[in-house]
Amino acid sequence: MDRTYVIVGASLAGAAAALTLREEGAEGRVVLIGAEPEPPYERPPLSKAYLRGETPFEKSLVRPAASYTEHGIETMFGRRVTRVNSTAKVVELENGDRVPFDSLLIATGGRNRRISIPGSDLDGIYSLRTVQDADRIRAEMIPGRRALVVGMGFIGSEVAASLRQQGLDVVAIDPSKTPLFRVLGKAVGQRIAALHDAHGVRTIFDDTVTAFEGTRRVDAVVTKNGIRVKCDFAVVGIGIEPAVDLLEGSGVRIENGVLVDEWCKTNVDGIYAAGDVANHFHPVFGRRMRVEHWQNAFKQGATAARNMLGRRVPYDEVHWFWSDQYDVNLQYAGYHTTAEQMVVRGSLDSDSFLACYINEGRIDAAVAFNRAKDLRRVMLLIKTRRVVKLEDLRDDSVDLRSLTAA
Amino acid sequence: MAVEFVTAVKVNAVQPGAVIAINVRGTPIAVANVVGTYYAFDDTCTHEQCSLAEGDLAGMTITCMCHGAEFDIQTGKVLAPPAPSPIKVYPIRVDGDSLQIEV
């Protein structure tokens, strides 16, 4: 009998899975269900080119809307799954509809963490996850207006850059010492801070927003250190929480997202997870991680599909992502939380460098500031876990490919 | 303008393994030399308009350095996203010490 593959989350991960199922010859039903009304789209432009009004939404679609039907994929967009019944093997939708499954992929991603301080329910305070969020922010983006950015992670940093590029006044506040502090550390973070300073963002670090002020709309914020900043609107980017509430009572193990093994499988037979929501075991690093980036969504979605077809393909991609800010192309590969040592090719003060995060002589991760070629070359070193000669890595005259071949 | 072969660049400007960007009648075109055979294709990535000549060439695959999109330089086909659409490829021929590209 034909199997039914149900994918919850019409996201990049969900779309990649649905299309891969068909490309790899899945017979039976493939059902792609998503809470957002739009067909699956890519989120990176939402904080950059799309936010600045430079590219139309259609360019962000993972595939043209018609291609799902062409591939025999049943789509249910604008429909929210509220519960997974793993015993009866059905997913339940908001309106009470039930869709049975033999094999289920959870690709629900996350939802924005909310700030809960006095005034946080005032108008003019936004967060960014969906195209509709981006449209709301776009409507506020009038040159000369004063924008406040709360949180200088990737979303906050990119939004701050886009706002400046559109001629708004921008103040950015983050509790860390630098932008992207948690991911990139202090030294690289300071370089990113200098980039934003050079482009006229007023940055406030080591401080947190304690209240939004205003009568109906926000018109100022107050910080813990007693600074008061006036603004016309605010964008809050303080991270996401994995969207797992539909799994309550399903028996699927949840711990910082959906726990899956290197085959994207949960502890419950027939249920898989991929993308932002999946806290996956990574065989290269020998630990679990949850990654909220484009390449992970795309590749893990595809790998999950292959495993749903019984192919038993491990998900062992070296994580990689980019962040374009102003004229800088930033790319990161690998995974690290702490580093015994950082080795830099080029100079941190310059417009082009590669910083490698080293533990026990191996490159766990690297970040490239306008140096994508070098980054691509160290990705192989990251994957093979090879011990590298740090002096060669540091030496700009040494071709990184020779390290790979050693 | 009619489509015709246009003398574009000297043969020795494109060494084996190299990719260079040139401008042919207003179109940025990348020219690659893969072990003595020449290929011409759009230099502009269909994702965010980065120069593909700045990318990495491995076999017949060019990887855009900005965001990792991959194209087949013989057919223009997208081999890896985020590029949404293929690039154009152009007929190219050797004429004496020059390369001619049909645009």
Side-chain angles (χ1 to χ4, degrees):
Chain A
M1 217 182 77
D2 274 351
R3 291 174 69 81
T4 299
Y5 302 88
V6 171
I7 298 161
V8 180
S11 51
L12 176 58
L19 292 160
T20 304
L21 281 169
R22 283 298 185 222
E23 281 159 16
E24 302 265 325
E27 289 172 5
R29 292 175 74 194
V30 175
V31 188
L32 179 61
I33 311 172
E36 289 182 71
E38 298 84 8
Y41 58 92
E42 306 193 351
R43 300 192 195 277
L46 298 183
S47 51
K48 302 182 281 284
Y50 180 79
L51 190 64
R52 297 191 298 268
E54 293 163 7
T55 55
F57 175 67
E58 290 63 39
K59 237 200 119 181
S60 303
L61 292 176
V62 176
R63 290 283 177 95
S67 57
Y68 299 96
T69 321
E70 283 162 23
H71 283 80
I73 296 163
E74 298 169 47
T75 59
M76 300 171 78
F77 301 146
R79 308 286 300 276
R80 187 180 297 279
V81 172
T82 49
R83 185 167 173 250
V84 172
N85 184 331
S86 53
T87 319
K89 291 202 145 191
V90 291
V91 298
E92 298 173 8
L93 277 65
E94 211 161 25
N95 68 348
D97 283 358
R98 294 153 67 93
V99 181
F101 67 84
D102 297 296
S103 192
L104 174 69
L105 177 69
I106 305 296
T108 44
R111 56 183 65 97
N112 287 325
R113 210 172 274 147
R114 299 183 66 101
I115 194 164
S116 96
I117 53 173
S120 55
D121 54 352
L122 286 168
D123 287 347
I125 302 172
Y126 303 92
S127 63
L128 178 55
R129 175 85 185 162
T130 67
V131 65
Q132 299 191 20
D133 293 333
D135 288 340
R136 282 188 276 268
I137 298 169
R138 264 172 84 163
E140 300 275 6
M141 286 170 63
I142 299 158
R145 294 187 85 202
R146 297 161 305 178
L148 181 89
V149 175
V150 180
M152 282 292 270
F154 283 103
I155 297 296
S157 296
E158 291 179 356
V159 167
S162 288
L163 292 169
R164 279 303 297 145
Q165 286 170 296
Q166 294 299 102
L168 284 87
D169 286 335
V170 180
V171 177
I173 303 179
D174 191 284
S176 304
K177 293 182 193 329
T178 76
L180 302 165
F181 183 81
R182 191 177 53 83
V183 186
L184 303 181
K186 191 176 173 192
V188 179
Q190 281 172 337
R191 181 66 186 85
I192 312 291
L195 175 72
H196 286 280
D197 287 344
H199 283 88
V201 175
R202 183 182 154 207
T203 52
I204 300 169
F205 295 108
D206 278 321
D207 202 357
T208 48
V209 173
T210 50
F212 290 102
E213 293 182 348
T215 43
R216 193 182 61 83
R217 260 188 82 93
V218 65
D219 58 31
V221 296
V222 180
T223 74
K224 195 172 161 188
N225 293 345
I227 299 173
R228 189 161 176 280
V229 182
K230 298 194 78 151
C231 65
D232 297 309
F233 68 98
V235 182
V236 179
I238 53 170
I240 64 162
E241 279 160 3
V244 294
D245 28 336
L246 74 167
L247 291 169
E248 207 173 297
S250 67
V252 172
R253 281 183 64 201
I254 305 295
E255 191 187 306
N256 179 27
V258 181
L259 285 184
V260 294
D261 59 20
E262 63 212 275
W263 297 283
C264 313
K265 284 175 63 156
T266 70
N267 61 308
V268 175
D269 207 30
I271 303 184
Y272 299 74
D276 291 10
V277 79
N279 186 0
H280 57 282
F281 179 80
H282 200 297
V284 172
F285 296 94
R287 57 162 294 169
R288 284 188 194 278
M289 53 185 74
R290 196 171 62 73
V291 175
E292 302 163 359
H293 292 288
W294 178 90
Q295 173 237 26
N296 179 58
F298 177 71
K299 300 256 185 172
Q300 200 175 22
T303 304
R306 294 191 179 97
N307 283 293
M308 290 166 86
L309 292 168
R311 303 278 154 80
R312 219 171 156 75
V313 184
Y315 181 66
D316 60 359
E317 286 287 328
V318 171
H319 290 297
W320 165 81
F321 59 81
W322 76 83
S323 171
D324 296 322
Q325 297 174 34
Y326 312 102
D327 50 353
V328 172
N329 175 251
L330 205 69
Q331 296 189 20
Y332 175 99
Y335 188 88
H336 87 288
T337 48
T338 56
E340 291 164 0
Q341 228 180 322
M342 191 174 79
V343 170
V344 181
R345 246 171 114 81
S347 160
L348 282 177
D349 303 325
S350 73
D351 287 331
S352 166
F353 63 82
L354 178 81
C356 301
Y357 302 92
I358 313 282
N359 285 304
E360 293 168 13
R362 295 177 178 84
I363 309 172
D364 280 348
V367 60
F369 191 98
N370 290 330
R371 264 216 199 205
K373 252 188 196 176
D374 277 0
L375 187 81
R376 297 222 150 238
R377 285 170 188 162
V378 298
M379 277 173 83
L380 195 59
L381 296 169
I382 295 171
K383 183 145 191 176
T384 55
R385 313 304 303 131
R386 198 191 307 272
V387 174
V388 292
K389 260 192 180 166
L390 299 186
E391 58 268 35
D392 286 350
L393 186 59
R394 193 177 285 117
D395 185 346
D396 231 346
S397 66
V398 173
D399 189 329
L400 287 172
R401 285 170 296 191
S402 68
L403 299 183
T404 313
Chain B
M1 221 179 312
V3 173
E4 57 182 339
F5 274 98
V6 177
T7 298
V9 67
K10 294 284 181 213
V11 168
N12 62 14
V14 200
Q15 293 301 308
V19 192
I20 66 160
I22 55 172
N23 193 302
V24 185
R25 292 193 163 166
T27 306
I29 291 179
V31 181
N33 177 339
V34 182
V35 282
T37 305
Y38 298 93
Y39 298 89
F41 48 96
D42 276 336
D43 182 48
T44 309
C45 180
T46 56
H47 177 229
E48 289 193 2
Q49 291 73 53
C50 291
S51 165
L52 292 174
E54 305 277 316
D56 252 354
L57 180 67
M60 293 294 172
T61 303
I62 189 93
T63 303
C64 180
M65 283 301 109
C66 287
H67 310 107
E70 293 175 9
F71 301 91
D72 182 321
I73 66 167
Q74 273 182 299
T75 62
K77 209 180 148 208
V78 177
L79 300 177
S85 49
I87 49 170
K88 249 166 85 180
V89 295
Y90 303 87
I92 183 166
R93 69 185 184 195
V94 178
D95 178 57
D97 65 349
S98 293
L99 291 172
Q100 295 188 327
I101 297 172
E102 195 179 52
V103 288

PDB file of all heavy atoms in Angstrom, chain A residues 240-269:
ATOM      1  N   ILE A 240      15.178  33.028  18.580  1.00  0.00           N
ATOM      2  CA  ILE A 240      13.929  32.273  18.411  1.00  0.00           C
ATOM      3  C   ILE A 240      13.849  31.153  19.429  1.00  0.00           C
ATOM      4  O   ILE A 240      14.836  30.755  20.037  1.00  0.00           O
ATOM      5  CB  ILE A 240      13.794  31.664  16.995  1.00  0.00           C
ATOM      6  CG1 ILE A 240      14.888  30.613  16.717  1.00  0.00           C
ATOM      7  CG2 ILE A 240      13.775  32.743  15.934  1.00  0.00           C
ATOM      8  CD1 ILE A 240      14.569  29.697  15.551  1.00  0.00           C
ATOM      9  N   GLU A 241      12.611  30.666  19.564  1.00  0.00           N
ATOM     10  CA  GLU A 241      12.380  29.454  20.342  1.00  0.00           C
ATOM     11  C   GLU A 241      11.854  28.414  19.365  1.00  0.00           C
ATOM     12  O   GLU A 241      11.006  28.731  18.525  1.00  0.00           O
ATOM     13  CB  GLU A 241      11.306  29.716  21.403  1.00  0.00           C
ATOM     14  CG  GLU A 241      11.864  30.410  22.606  1.00  0.00           C
ATOM     15  CD  GLU A 241      10.790  31.110  23.430  1.00  0.00           C
ATOM     16  OE1 GLU A 241       9.591  31.009  23.084  1.00  0.00           O
ATOM     17  OE2 GLU A 241      11.166  31.761  24.408  1.00  0.00           O
ATOM     18  N   PRO A 242      12.369  27.200  19.440  1.00  0.00           N
ATOM     19  CA  PRO A 242      11.883  26.175  18.504  1.00  0.00           C
ATOM     20  C   PRO A 242      10.381  25.949  18.675  1.00  0.00           C
ATOM     21  O   PRO A 242       9.871  25.934  19.793  1.00  0.00           O
ATOM     22  CB  PRO A 242      12.697  24.933  18.865  1.00  0.00           C
ATOM     23  CG  PRO A 242      13.388  25.232  20.150  1.00  0.00           C
ATOM     24  CD  PRO A 242      13.442  26.710  20.315  1.00  0.00           C
ATOM     25  N   ALA A 243       9.682  25.808  17.555  1.00  0.00           N
ATOM     26  CA  ALA A 243       8.225  25.637  17.575  1.00  0.00           C
ATOM     27  C   ALA A 243       7.888  24.164  17.753  1.00  0.00           C
ATOM     28  O   ALA A 243       7.825  23.403  16.779  1.00  0.00           O
ATOM     29  CB  ALA A 243       7.621  26.189  16.286  1.00  0.00           C
ATOM     30  N   VAL A 244       7.715  23.767  18.998  1.00  0.00           N
ATOM     31  CA  VAL A 244       7.529  22.346  19.311  1.00  0.00           C
ATOM     32  C   VAL A 244       6.207  22.043  20.012  1.00  0.00           C
ATOM     33  O   VAL A 244       5.931  20.892  20.327  1.00  0.00           O
ATOM     34  CB  VAL A 244       8.685  21.812  20.200  1.00  0.00           C
ATOM     35  CG1 VAL A 244       9.999  21.820  19.436  1.00  0.00           C
ATOM     36  CG2 VAL A 244       8.814  22.615  21.495  1.00  0.00           C
ATOM     37  N   ASP A 245       5.389  23.067  20.238  1.00  0.00           N
ATOM     38  CA  ASP A 245       4.190  22.816  21.065  1.00  0.00           C
ATOM     39  C   ASP A 245       3.251  21.771  20.456  1.00  0.00           C
ATOM     40  O   ASP A 245       2.537  21.087  21.167  1.00  0.00           O
ATOM     41  CB  ASP A 245       3.442  24.119  21.400  1.00  0.00           C
ATOM     42  CG  ASP A 245       3.601  25.206  20.372  1.00  0.00           C
ATOM     43  OD1 ASP A 245       4.605  25.171  19.635  1.00  0.00           O
ATOM     44  OD2 ASP A 245       2.726  26.081  20.276  1.00  0.00           O
ATOM     45  N   LEU A 246       3.286  21.611  19.129  1.00  0.00           N
ATOM     46  CA  LEU A 246       2.414  20.616  18.498  1.00  0.00           C
ATOM     47  C   LEU A 246       2.786  19.181  18.899  1.00  0.00           C
ATOM     48  O   LEU A 246       2.005  18.258  18.705  1.00  0.00           O
ATOM     49  CB  LEU A 246       2.452  20.760  16.972  1.00  0.00           C
ATOM     50  CG  LEU A 246       3.690  20.284  16.216  1.00  0.00           C
ATOM     51  CD1 LEU A 246       3.394  20.213  14.732  1.00  0.00           C
ATOM     52  CD2 LEU A 246       4.895  21.150  16.457  1.00  0.00           C
ATOM     53  N   LEU A 247       3.998  19.030  19.481  1.00  0.00           N
ATOM     54  CA  LEU A 247       4.453  17.679  19.834  1.00  0.00           C
ATOM     55  C   LEU A 247       4.136  17.298  21.279  1.00  0.00           C
ATOM     56  O   LEU A 247       4.458  16.195  21.724  1.00  0.00           O
ATOM     57  CB  LEU A 247       5.963  17.564  19.592  1.00  0.00           C
ATOM     58  CG  LEU A 247       6.351  17.602  18.110  1.00  0.00           C
ATOM     59  CD1 LEU A 247       7.851  17.749  17.953  1.00  0.00           C
ATOM     60  CD2 LEU A 247       5.858  16.363  17.388  1.00  0.00           C
ATOM     61  N   GLU A 248       3.501  18.212  21.995  1.00  0.00           N
ATOM     62  CA  GLU A 248       3.165  17.927  23.389  1.00  0.00           C
ATOM     63  C   GLU A 248       2.314  16.660  23.473  1.00  0.00           C
ATOM     64  O   GLU A 248       1.331  16.495  22.752  1.00  0.00           O
ATOM     65  CB  GLU A 248       2.370  19.103  23.965  1.00  0.00           C
ATOM     66  CG  GLU A 248       2.523  19.242  25.461  1.00  0.00           C
ATOM     67  CD  GLU A 248       1.852  20.512  25.974  1.00  0.00           C
ATOM     68  OE1 GLU A 248       2.307  21.612  25.566  1.00  0.00           O
ATOM     69  OE2 GLU A 248       0.878  20.375  26.715  1.00  0.00           O
ATOM     70  N   GLY A 249       2.731  15.746  24.315  1.00  0.00           N
ATOM     71  CA  GLY A 249       1.972  14.509  24.487  1.00  0.00           C
ATOM     72  C   GLY A 249       2.222  13.469  23.409  1.00  0.00           C
ATOM     73  O   GLY A 249       1.639  12.383  23.428  1.00  0.00           O
ATOM     74  N   SER A 250       3.099  13.773  22.443  1.00  0.00           N
ATOM     75  CA  SER A 250       3.337  12.828  21.343  1.00  0.00           C
ATOM     76  C   SER A 250       4.362  11.760  21.707  1.00  0.00           C
ATOM     77  O   SER A 250       4.506  10.767  21.010  1.00  0.00           O
ATOM     78  CB  SER A 250       3.847  13.584  20.116  1.00  0.00           C
ATOM     79  OG  SER A 250       5.145  14.110  20.388  1.00  0.00           O
ATOM     80  N   GLY A 251       5.100  12.015  22.793  1.00  0.00           N
ATOM     81  CA  GLY A 251       6.166  11.092  23.163  1.00  0.00           C
ATOM     82  C   GLY A 251       7.492  11.426  22.487  1.00  0.00           C
ATOM     83  O   GLY A 251       8.524  10.837  22.814  1.00  0.00           O
ATOM     84  N   VAL A 252       7.479  12.378  21.558  1.00  0.00           N
ATOM     85  CA  VAL A 252       8.726  12.795  20.905  1.00  0.00           C
ATOM     86  C   VAL A 252       9.547  13.603  21.909  1.00  0.00           C
ATOM     87  O   VAL A 252       9.033  14.521  22.550  1.00  0.00           O
ATOM     88  CB  VAL A 252       8.433  13.647  19.650  1.00  0.00           C
ATOM     89  CG1 VAL A 252       9.720  14.254  19.081  1.00  0.00           C
ATOM     90  CG2 VAL A 252       7.727  12.804  18.588  1.00  0.00           C
ATOM     91  N   ARG A 253      10.824  13.239  22.039  1.00  0.00           N
ATOM     92  CA  ARG A 253      11.675  13.918  23.033  1.00  0.00           C
ATOM     93  C   ARG A 253      12.032  15.324  22.581  1.00  0.00           C
ATOM     94  O   ARG A 253      12.478  15.542  21.461  1.00  0.00           O
ATOM     95  CB  ARG A 253      12.951  13.114  23.286  1.00  0.00           C
ATOM     96  CG  ARG A 253      12.725  11.939  24.229  1.00  0.00           C
ATOM     97  CD  ARG A 253      14.015  11.211  24.518  1.00  0.00           C
ATOM     98  NE  ARG A 253      14.977  12.053  25.236  1.00  0.00           N
ATOM     99  CZ  ARG A 253      16.290  11.810  25.250  1.00  0.00           C
ATOM    100  NH1 ARG A 253      16.788  10.793  24.580  1.00  0.00           N
ATOM    101  NH2 ARG A 253      17.085  12.615  25.942  1.00  0.00           N
ATOM    102  N   ILE A 254      11.817  16.244  23.509  1.00  0.00           N
ATOM    103  CA  ILE A 254      12.079  17.658  23.245  1.00  0.00           C
ATOM    104  C   ILE A 254      13.151  18.131  24.220  1.00  0.00           C
ATOM    105  O   ILE A 254      13.048  17.907  25.435  1.00  0.00           O
ATOM    106  CB  ILE A 254      10.804  18.504  23.496  1.00  0.00           C
ATOM    107  CG1 ILE A 254       9.609  17.985  22.694  1.00  0.00           C
ATOM    108  CG2 ILE A 254      11.060  19.988  23.219  1.00  0.00           C
ATOM    109  CD1 ILE A 254       9.743  18.095  21.210  1.00  0.00           C
ATOM    110  N   GLU A 255      14.176  18.752  23.691  1.00  0.00           N
ATOM    111  CA  GLU A 255      15.198  19.351  24.548  1.00  0.00           C
ATOM    112  C   GLU A 255      15.908  20.382  23.685  1.00  0.00           C
ATOM    113  O   GLU A 255      16.640  20.013  22.780  1.00  0.00           O
ATOM    114  CB  GLU A 255      16.164  18.266  25.025  1.00  0.00           C
ATOM    115  CG  GLU A 255      17.101  18.730  26.109  1.00  0.00           C
ATOM    116  CD  GLU A 255      18.137  17.648  26.416  1.00  0.00           C
ATOM    117  OE1 GLU A 255      17.739  16.495  26.712  1.00  0.00           O
ATOM    118  OE2 GLU A 255      19.329  17.955  26.317  1.00  0.00           O
ATOM    119  N   ASN A 256      15.640  21.635  23.913  1.00  0.00           N
ATOM    120  CA  ASN A 256      16.111  22.688  23.009  1.00  0.00           C
ATOM    121  C   ASN A 256      15.769  22.298  21.570  1.00  0.00           C
ATOM    122  O   ASN A 256      16.634  22.175  20.713  1.00  0.00           O
ATOM    123  CB  ASN A 256      17.625  22.925  23.179  1.00  0.00           C
ATOM    124  CG  ASN A 256      18.140  23.995  22.227  1.00  0.00           C
ATOM    125  OD1 ASN A 256      17.399  24.881  21.822  1.00  0.00           O
ATOM    126  ND2 ASN A 256      19.403  23.903  21.837  1.00  0.00           N
ATOM    127  N   GLY A 257      14.508  22.086  21.305  1.00  0.00           N
ATOM    128  CA  GLY A 257      14.067  21.640  19.983  1.00  0.00           C
ATOM    129  C   GLY A 257      13.740  20.162  19.987  1.00  0.00           C
ATOM    130  O   GLY A 257      13.640  19.536  21.052  1.00  0.00           O
ATOM    131  N   VAL A 258      13.576  19.611  18.810  1.00  0.00           N
ATOM    132  CA  VAL A 258      13.258  18.192  18.677  1.00  0.00           C
ATOM    133  C   VAL A 258      14.575  17.419  18.608  1.00  0.00           C
ATOM    134  O   VAL A 258      15.415  17.694  17.746  1.00  0.00           O
ATOM    135  CB  VAL A 258      12.449  17.931  17.386  1.00  0.00           C
ATOM    136  CG1 VAL A 258      12.090  16.452  17.268  1.00  0.00           C
ATOM    137  CG2 VAL A 258      11.202  18.799  17.353  1.00  0.00           C
ATOM    138  N   LEU A 259      14.744  16.470  19.520  1.00  0.00           N
ATOM    139  CA  LEU A 259      15.983  15.700  19.521  1.00  0.00           C
ATOM    140  C   LEU A 259      15.964  14.688  18.390  1.00  0.00           C
ATOM    141  O   LEU A 259      15.043  13.878  18.289  1.00  0.00           O
ATOM    142  CB  LEU A 259      16.138  14.950  20.853  1.00  0.00           C
ATOM    143  CG  LEU A 259      16.542  15.764  22.070  1.00  0.00           C
ATOM    144  CD1 LEU A 259      16.740  14.832  23.272  1.00  0.00           C
ATOM    145  CD2 LEU A 259      17.820  16.555  21.808  1.00  0.00           C
ATOM    146  N   VAL A 260      16.972  14.760  17.525  1.00  0.00           N
ATOM    147  CA  VAL A 260      17.095  13.764  16.463  1.00  0.00           C
ATOM    148  C   VAL A 260      18.523  13.240  16.410  1.00  0.00           C
ATOM    149  O   VAL A 260      19.462  13.889  16.866  1.00  0.00           O
ATOM    150  CB  VAL A 260      16.709  14.312  15.059  1.00  0.00           C
ATOM    151  CG1 VAL A 260      15.229  14.650  14.991  1.00  0.00           C
ATOM    152  CG2 VAL A 260      17.567  15.502  14.660  1.00  0.00           C
ATOM    153  N   ASP A 261      18.660  12.051  15.826  1.00  0.00           N
ATOM    154  CA  ASP A 261      19.987  11.473  15.658  1.00  0.00           C
ATOM    155  C   ASP A 261      20.576  11.937  14.322  1.00  0.00           C
ATOM    156  O   ASP A 261      20.013  12.799  13.643  1.00  0.00           O
ATOM    157  CB  ASP A 261      19.921   9.940  15.773  1.00  0.00           C
ATOM    158  CG  ASP A 261      19.003   9.312  14.731  1.00  0.00           C
ATOM    159  OD1 ASP A 261      18.721   9.982  13.695  1.00  0.00           O
ATOM    160  OD2 ASP A 261      18.563   8.172  14.929  1.00  0.00           O
ATOM    161  N   GLU A 262      21.700  11.370  13.935  1.00  0.00           N
ATOM    162  CA  GLU A 262      22.350  11.835  12.704  1.00  0.00           C
ATOM    163  C   GLU A 262      21.566  11.442  11.452  1.00  0.00           C
ATOM    164  O   GLU A 262      21.922  11.854  10.358  1.00  0.00           O
ATOM    165  CB  GLU A 262      23.784  11.313  12.647  1.00  0.00           C
ATOM    166  CG  GLU A 262      23.903   9.815  12.586  1.00  0.00           C
ATOM    167  CD  GLU A 262      25.159   9.311  13.274  1.00  0.00           C
ATOM    168  OE1 GLU A 262      26.212   9.282  12.618  1.00  0.00           O
ATOM    169  OE2 GLU A 262      25.087   8.946  14.465  1.00  0.00           O
ATOM    170  N   TRP A 263      20.507  10.629  11.615  1.00  0.00           N
ATOM    171  CA  TRP A 263      19.647  10.280  10.486  1.00  0.00           C
ATOM    172  C   TRP A 263      18.339  11.079  10.526  1.00  0.00           C
ATOM    173  O   TRP A 263      17.361  10.701   9.904  1.00  0.00           O
ATOM    174  CB  TRP A 263      19.380   8.772  10.455  1.00  0.00           C
ATOM    175  CG  TRP A 263      20.671   8.019  10.233  1.00  0.00           C
ATOM    176  CD1 TRP A 263      21.347   7.879   9.051  1.00  0.00           C
ATOM    177  CD2 TRP A 263      21.465   7.342  11.217  1.00  0.00           C
ATOM    178  NE1 TRP A 263      22.506   7.173   9.236  1.00  0.00           N
ATOM    179  CE2 TRP A 263      22.610   6.820  10.560  1.00  0.00           C
ATOM    180  CE3 TRP A 263      21.335   7.135  12.591  1.00  0.00           C
ATOM    181  CZ2 TRP A 263      23.601   6.102  11.227  1.00  0.00           C
ATOM    182  CZ3 TRP A 263      22.320   6.406  13.249  1.00  0.00           C
ATOM    183  CH2 TRP A 263      23.437   5.906  12.571  1.00  0.00           C
ATOM    184  N   CYS A 264      18.364  12.145  11.308  1.00  0.00           N
ATOM    185  CA  CYS A 264      17.217  13.062  11.411  1.00  0.00           C
ATOM    186  C   CYS A 264      15.993  12.401  12.043  1.00  0.00           C
ATOM    187  O   CYS A 264      14.868  12.877  11.894  1.00  0.00           O
ATOM    188  CB  CYS A 264      16.833  13.656  10.041  1.00  0.00           C
ATOM    189  SG  CYS A 264      18.213  14.293   9.091  1.00  0.00           S
ATOM    190  N   LYS A 265      16.189  11.263  12.736  1.00  0.00           N
ATOM    191  CA  LYS A 265      15.076  10.537  13.352  1.00  0.00           C
ATOM    192  C   LYS A 265      14.886  10.923  14.805  1.00  0.00           C
ATOM    193  O   LYS A 265      15.855  11.062  15.546  1.00  0.00           O
ATOM    194  CB  LYS A 265      15.360   9.021  13.314  1.00  0.00           C
ATOM    195  CG  LYS A 265      15.156   8.402  11.956  1.00  0.00           C
ATOM    196  CD  LYS A 265      15.565   6.944  11.983  1.00  0.00           C
ATOM    197  CE  LYS A 265      14.670   6.159  12.941  1.00  0.00           C
ATOM    198  NZ  LYS A 265      14.638   4.714  12.567  1.00  0.00           N
ATOM    199  N   THR A 266      13.639  11.032  15.207  1.00  0.00           N
ATOM    200  CA  THR A 266      13.348  11.247  16.625  1.00  0.00           C
ATOM    201  C   THR A 266      13.301   9.885  17.305  1.00  0.00           C
ATOM    202  O   THR A 266      13.503   8.843  16.667  1.00  0.00           O
ATOM    203  CB  THR A 266      11.984  11.939  16.834  1.00  0.00           C
ATOM    204  OG1 THR A 266      10.942  11.006  16.489  1.00  0.00           O
ATOM    205  CG2 THR A 266      11.854  13.189  15.976  1.00  0.00           C
ATOM    206  N   ASN A 267      13.002   9.878  18.592  1.00  0.00           N
ATOM    207  CA  ASN A 267      12.880   8.622  19.335  1.00  0.00           C
ATOM    208  C   ASN A 267      11.606   7.877  18.980  1.00  0.00           C
ATOM    209  O   ASN A 267      11.439   6.718  19.344  1.00  0.00           O
ATOM    210  CB  ASN A 267      12.918   8.903  20.847  1.00  0.00           C
ATOM    211  CG  ASN A 267      11.779   9.794  21.285  1.00  0.00           C
ATOM    212  OD1 ASN A 267      11.569  10.865  20.712  1.00  0.00           O
ATOM    213  ND2 ASN A 267      11.014   9.364  22.278  1.00  0.00           N
ATOM    214  N   VAL A 268      10.677   8.540  18.269  1.00  0.00           N
ATOM    215  CA  VAL A 268       9.415   7.874  17.902  1.00  0.00           C
ATOM    216  C   VAL A 268       9.503   7.421  16.450  1.00  0.00           C
ATOM    217  O   VAL A 268       9.802   8.210  15.548  1.00  0.00           O
ATOM    218  CB  VAL A 268       8.205   8.822  18.096  1.00  0.00           C
ATOM    219  CG1 VAL A 268       6.916   8.177  17.589  1.00  0.00           C
ATOM    220  CG2 VAL A 268       8.066   9.207  19.564  1.00  0.00           C
ATOM    221  N   ASP A 269       9.255   6.133  16.264  1.00  0.00           N
ATOM    222  CA  ASP A 269       9.373   5.532  14.942  1.00  0.00           C
ATOM    223  C   ASP A 269       8.528   6.278  13.899  1.00  0.00           C
ATOM    224  O   ASP A 269       7.360   6.568  14.146  1.00  0.00           O
ATOM    225  CB  ASP A 269       8.886   4.072  15.054  1.00  0.00           C
ATOM    226  CG  ASP A 269       9.548   3.217  14.001  1.00  0.00           C
ATOM    227  OD1 ASP A 269      10.700   3.530  13.620  1.00  0.00           O
ATOM    228  OD2 ASP A 269       8.900   2.253  13.546  1.00  0.00           O
TER     229      ASP A 269
END
